[in-house]
Amino acid sequence: MSYLPKPKLHHPSLPKNALGFTRRDYEGAISTLCAGCGHDSISAAIIQACFELEIAPHRVAKMSGIGCSSKTPNYFLGAGHGFNSVHGRMPSVLTGAYLANRDLIYLGVSGDGDSASIGFGQFAHIMRRGVNMTYIVENNGVYGLTKGQFSATSDKGSKAKKGTVNTDEPIDLVGIALQLGATYVARAFSGDKEQLVPLIKGAIRHPGAAFIDCISPCVAFNNHEGSTKSYDFVREHNEAVNRLDVIRDREPVVAEYAPGELCEVAQHDGSVLRLRKLQEGHDPTDRLSAMAYMHGRKAEGEIVTGLLYVDPDPSDIHAGLRTVPVPLNRLDDAALCPGAAALEAINAGLR
Ligand SMILES: Cc1ncc(C[n+]2csc(CCOP(=O)(O)OP(=O)(O)O)c2C)c(N)n1
Ligand code: SF4
Ligand SMILES: [Mg+2]
């Protein structure tokens, strides 16, 4: 029933953004997920972020795999482009689309099964390639859609609803993304909109590979005592490294800052990330200390949330491949197929 449309009538006094859109213009079809599913809160945060960033909904390409999480692009940005790919294969589809047309804003939505189990190889490669995107994993530590099997992020020793115990080590996608070169790495909790919305806004404005691991409790299969992806566990063990806000169109200001103070990190596109440093010693522009800090807190049973790492001036896959700036579908035949002589010259250069 996910095709169910919402009523088109809008209240005339709904606030509008600079483009003339109301928040309702960023919504999609009615969600068919279980009531209370964390994934719906993430959809609401995406809607809020795009509304506040004044992005035209049709400029967003929503890419996903398979799972409850991967169904959610149907529930936001109804006027956006959508591609529901094969389980675990969203990263290669997103990469191809971005190479063909860099004019759109790419948003990848995936699950822990989709990205850490079947799609782990694809996840690793997109993180290291400098694809300009926002990649959100709605991490519930379980295969929700197929009724509660363990995923690769399930906690070792955790019990499934039917009583089976997981004996495998979990994969921490934040650690992997940091190691493989993602240039904006954050962790959030679906139940903390105040933190999640600015993190999504910052990721969308970041001109490189932005990854958000968003813990998102599955109320049907993984919200029990002992699960680190349950509402109660995250509320009790969450340690926020920073509070951030995104300011658009200001002069870049990079500040040295002390614990407890505000840090402004200028991004390449001119937007500024404002980070409230809560922890002594955490510098979000230092990849190594972000990794060490996250692992250190994890050893203490804590989940670090917030913006762990950002490279204010990331490189992009297009720069590496030296592709043309014009989307491929706007090139004519002569530009797309330069002829046998040009091909011969390329081949000769490879011999
Ligand atoms: C190639 C393939 N293998 C297995 C499946 C069955 N399948 C569908 S969704 C899913 C797991 C989804 O888990 P996750 O990505 O964590 O999403 P969630 O439902 O938890 O949001 C599986 C195993 C499939 N659709 N395709
Ligand atoms: S099964 Fe779990 S992940 Fe899927 S919609 Fe229900 S609560 Fe959400
Ligand atoms: Mg899952």
Side-chain angles (χ1 to χ4, degrees):
M1 291 207 304
S2 55
Y3 55 82
L4 276 181
K6 285 185 178 166
K8 289 239 170 355
L9 273 181
H10 292 192
H11 194 283
S13 62
L14 279 182
K16 291 185 175 155
N17 62 17
L19 298 180
F21 291 119
T22 69
R23 200 183 166 285
R24 292 284 316 272
D25 294 314
Y26 292 83
E27 294 178 353
I30 292 172
S31 170
T32 58
L33 302 187
C34 307
C37 175
H39 299 353
D40 278 335
S41 307
I42 302 173
S43 298
I46 292 170
I47 289 169
Q48 187 71 22
C50 292
F51 171 71
E52 288 176 11
L53 284 179
E54 292 152 2
I55 290 169
H58 69 273
R59 292 208 49 242
V60 180
K62 308 169 290 179
M63 322 296 281
S64 63
I66 299 291
C68 299
S69 35
S70 293
K71 282 171 68 179
T72 64
N74 196 33
Y75 312 140
F76 57 82
L77 300 174
H81 305 269
F83 198 112
N84 207 193
S85 75
V86 180
H87 194 25
R89 272 59 170 190
M90 176 269 281
S92 51
V93 179
L94 192 156
T95 306
Y98 177 62
L99 282 173
N101 183 356
R102 68 174 93 172
D103 278 357
L104 296 174
I105 295 164
Y106 288 91
L107 176 59
V109 177
S110 181
D112 44 304
D114 202 57
S115 283
S117 298
I118 193 170
F120 192 46
Q122 297 236 339
F123 175 83
H125 290 292
I126 201 167
M127 289 302 145
R128 71 188 186 88
R129 281 189 172 139
V131 178
N132 182 2
M133 59 169 182
T134 296
Y135 191 122
I136 302 176
V137 167
E138 306 191 341
N139 188 353
N140 52 17
V142 78
Y143 296 170
L145 188 73
T146 50
K147 303 208 177 300
Q149 301 87 347
F150 296 121
S151 80
T153 70
S154 303
D155 305 300
K156 188 173 184 178
S158 66
K159 251 194 197 166
K161 201 172 180 181
K162 299 265 180 195
T164 335
V165 175
N166 179 34
T167 52
D168 300 335
E169 282 295 333
I171 290 172
D172 188 329
L173 291 173
V174 163
I176 301 291
L178 281 169
Q179 188 186 332
L180 290 175
T183 47
Y184 180 108
V185 182
R187 177 147 37 218
F189 174 46
S190 61
D192 186 354
K193 196 174 163 191
E194 198 195 322
Q195 184 189 50
L196 180 56
V197 173
L199 281 175
I200 295 173
K201 285 165 73 179
I204 291 174
R205 298 281 290 171
H206 179 72
F211 172 60
I212 303 175
D213 179 35
C214 190
I215 295 166
S216 175
C218 169
V219 290
F221 300 107
N222 200 17
N223 194 30
H224 48 78
E225 208 181 316
S227 163
T228 59
K229 275 93 184 165
S230 68
Y231 281 106
D232 288 345
F233 185 90
V234 181
R235 290 222 169 92
E236 279 162 29
H237 296 81
N238 180 8
E239 190 187 340
V241 281
N242 42 40
R243 289 271 160 218
L244 80 160
D245 196 1
V246 176
I247 303 176
R248 300 176 58 202
D249 306 328
R250 293 236 183 119
E251 283 300 305
V253 185
V254 182
E256 296 262 319
Y257 68 125
E261 284 184 357
L262 197 70
C263 172
E264 300 201 328
V265 182
Q267 299 214 86
H268 191 61
D269 65 354
S271 63
V272 179
L273 295 170
R274 301 175 73 236
L275 311 173
R276 173 68 66 186
K277 183 188 276 187
L278 298 184
Q279 260 57 49
E280 182 139 13
H282 183 69
D283 173 2
T285 62
D286 181 344
R287 190 185 291 273
L288 283 181
S289 70
M291 290 165 90
Y293 186 71
M294 187 204 81
H295 288 300
R297 299 323 302 164
K298 194 171 157 194
E300 299 296 321
E302 289 176 4
I303 299 170
V304 176
T305 63
L307 181 59
L308 280 142
Y309 174 71
V310 62
D311 176 349
D313 193 11
S315 65
D316 176 67
I317 191 172
H318 281 286
L321 295 176
R322 293 186 294 134
T323 47
V324 287
V326 186
L328 300 188
N329 65 0
R330 280 185 231 153
L331 292 176
D332 59 16
D333 282 355
L336 285 170
C337 180
L343 183 62
E344 184 48 43
I346 292 169
N347 285 341
L350 297 171
R351 280 189 195 112

